[in-house]
Amino acid sequence: MKKLYNYVLPVLLLVFAVSCDGDNEEVVNIINQDPVVTVTEVSPNKGYEDNEFTVKGTNFGIIASDVKVYVGSSELEIVSCEDEAITVRVPQGATAGRISVVVYGQKVDTQLMYDVLGNPGVVKIEPVYGFVGDEITFKGHDLGVSSTFYNLLFAGKAEAALFSSEPTADSFVVKVPNGAESGEITLTITDKPVNLPVPFTVLQHATLDKLSLETGFAGSQVTITGTNLNPEILASEGLELEGIRVFFKKGKKDEPVAAEVVGDPTNTEIKVKVPADLVAGEYAVTVSTSFETIEKTLTYTVLPTPGVTGISVQKGYINAEVAISGTNFGTNADHIKVFFDEMECSSVKLNKSGNIVVNVPKGVTPSENVVIRLVIMDTEIPMGKYGTFNVLQTPEISSVQSSYIYPYGTLVEVGEEITLIGHDFDTNKNNVSVTFDGVTAPAEITNITSTKITVKVPNGFNAGKVTVVFTDIDEPVISDKELVLLPANGDITKYVLKNSVQPFQGAGFAGAEWDRDGLHDWEKTDIQNNGGLQYPSITGGRDSNGCIALHQWGKRNNKNGKMWQKTSLPKGKYRIGLDGISLGKSSGYSNAAFVVCKGTEASDIPGYDNGNWIAGQTGVKGEIAMTIGHQASETLNLNLTENLDHLIVGFVVWADNTVWATFTSVTVHLVTE
């Protein structure tokens, strides 16, 4: 049975795709995919006009009308078409050329030639590239007519190229003319078009610009820049080029030394490795492309190779100073890089003795076998037996414990004992000094372990960080967060709540009366019509300080609208104040409540029960229920007997129609008496 061809018209495919599977018939799904056409052979590969030959391959299909075959630019007559063979006939006027096949719009250009005998034919161009003025040879057959019958045009030219000599039967030679461009060459002989096998590349002479480094060490890598160093050849298939070669030559009598080309050169850059066996001195750098040797040379000076002879210490903490001694390090520290594992030292210096001085960089993972790498002018210098370093575990303060830790700040009192939490502390008090910003005298250490240091907050401290100095460590250890002195009036509002006092910050678009997107740092649910932030009327305009607003303009059945923010409080006594309270209505009813409760979501906040506020609901730590006409400040006292890490401070409004509830501040005070 003959095979089912992959090549099927889309219409047929559509028919198969919608076929039914009634009567338990087997359904075969045919996928509409274009098969890949290949061309593998032309047989025979030469003949005369009207001769037939066969193009072999795969996935040609069986419909001759959807197949085209060309020799050069001449379309051939299709005699027959099978899936793996197409028989064609050579038409009158065809000349030698490469075979191309088009199957249902898919074109395959090949390197396979068919030579039409009896007509002039060019089967080879040597070379397929050249500079202006170079001689190019065209080889074939039946070429031996006078050059006056030839018209050969290079791309970009309207004038025919000049012949170097009269054509013979099997070849002719022309020179690449000025102004010629890369591309197809067209040829007619006795006014008849003759196919040419490949396009031609017109070369431009290469130039050298500079070296990325003019001085360096043997074995280092440098980049040569220029133009036309590695042009693309249009007819590159099967072409073998010598490639780019770079040589370093010291003196007139010395033999040039080839350099290794690194990676693939581009038309403008060549990366090379300076030969490792070069001795110190000045070298001329020459470059040969695949097509020419560039006349211009560049100069590179090979410096004496550096050597490491010692290291000051091979053990220390982060930031410990390390001096690397040796020879030929140079005089410019900017050319030197030192790495501890993958961390680069931020500062490299050369001391008076010419030694390299660095500090162990931050970020290095403590280990007994940290690798030191020395790189000078992009060349890695062997460290030998000095190439490892023992980075000791450096003490670190991870947190500070006090009695007053709030979401947005850690507060302390003078004389209070606070604890620095961390690791790898020296447990000998005599080796440890703790100071507070703004206070010169060290603080009193009351207890010390490898993970905790307890100190008393000294007189004179107002705000800042804590610094711990260990005798054997060069780098002081500093707390990440600043500490703040507890305000004398106990006002800790800004450490507990955000955006809760005037002037308020809006969340988005600020209009003449409203910030229509609400109040920054506060979340809201079911607050209708501009709820969040209002700029109320005052004499002369609007109060730009704003107020918290839970308005319900013209909306009915707005029950249990909520606006809140999350915070936390340690156990203790607190006083929470509401100021500038205003509840009113033009119509309808309005009730509002301020509530402090456990939780993180709006659903954790209790609501009104059909307009009635029920006190003491689950999770509530404090509450203030208000009604129309409430025009005063209110105070809520909290006595927390446990730390509350998940706490909500917010408002609930039960309103109808045109009503309002506004507040000018929410404050929090710590009660210490």
Side-chain angles (χ1 to χ4, degrees), residues 600-629:
T600 59
E601 306 292 337
S603 58
D604 296 322
I605 306 171
Y608 283 86
D609 182 6
N610 197 28
N612 299 311
W613 184 259
I614 301 174
Q617 296 186 63
T618 302
V620 173
K621 297 298 178 180
E623 55 198 327
I624 300 172
M626 293 160 282
T627 56
I628 294 294

Side-chain angles (χ1 to χ4, degrees), residues 552 558-561 589-593 607-612 652-656 659:
Q552 309 285 293
N558 296 299
K559 301 171 182 178
N560 290 324
Y589 52 85
S590 177
N591 294 314
Y608 283 86
D609 182 6
N610 197 28
N612 299 311
V652 183
V653 62
W654 177 282
D656 184 22
V659 297

Side-chain angles (χ1 to χ4, degrees), residues 160-318:
L162 297 178
F163 280 70
S164 299
S165 60
E166 282 299 303
T168 67
D170 56 7
S171 70
F172 62 88
V173 179
V174 301
K175 289 186 177 181
V176 180
N178 285 319
E181 299 174 358
S182 297
E184 299 288 345
I185 299 175
T186 59
L187 172 63
T188 59
I189 302 176
T190 62
D191 295 329
K192 293 181 179 179
V194 177
N195 292 318
L196 295 180
V198 291
F200 186 83
T201 301
V202 178
L203 300 174
Q204 305 296 322
H205 287 289
T207 65
L208 294 182
D209 183 14
K210 63 181 179 179
L211 289 165
S212 57
L213 292 173
E214 294 182 348
T215 59
F217 306 109
S220 63
Q221 182 174 301
V222 296
T223 299
I224 301 169
T225 56
T227 61
N228 302 310
L229 300 173
N230 192 33
E232 180 182 352
I233 305 302
L234 296 180
S236 59
E237 186 166 334
L239 189 65
E240 293 186 6
L241 300 175
E242 190 170 1
I244 290 176
R245 291 144 292 151
V246 179
F247 299 91
F248 284 70
K249 184 176 174 63
K250 191 171 189 293
K252 292 183 178 180
K253 296 182 179 180
D254 295 321
E255 289 294 322
V257 180
E260 177 189 349
V261 177
V262 179
D264 295 324
T266 69
N267 215 23
T268 58
E269 283 190 354
I270 308 168
K271 291 181 172 61
V272 298
K273 186 172 289 186
V274 179
D277 55 353
L278 297 185
V279 298
E282 186 175 286
Y283 289 79
V285 181
T286 61
V287 177
S288 294
T289 71
S290 298
F291 316 105
E292 61 180 331
T293 297
I294 303 173
E295 291 185 8
K296 180 180 178 179
T297 62
L298 302 173
T299 302
Y300 184 82
T301 300
V302 176
L303 301 173
T305 302
V308 175
T309 59
I311 191 169
S312 58
V313 291
Q314 285 189 273
K315 179 175 72 173
Y317 294 96
I318 298 295

Side-chain angles (χ1 to χ4, degrees), residues 36-58:
V36 177
V37 177
T38 64
V39 179
T40 59
E41 184 183 353
V42 173
S43 179
N45 61 6
K46 62 181 65 177
Y48 294 91
E49 293 177 350
D50 293 325
N51 282 175
E52 295 181 0
F53 67 93
T54 301
V55 178
K56 298 181 180 180
T58 62

Side-chain angles (χ1 to χ4, degrees), residues 60-77:
F60 295 144
I62 57 174
I63 303 175
S65 61
D66 287 329
V67 178
K68 296 180 185 297
V69 179
Y70 297 86
V71 56
S73 60
S74 301
E75 184 175 353
L76 306 179
E77 177 187 346

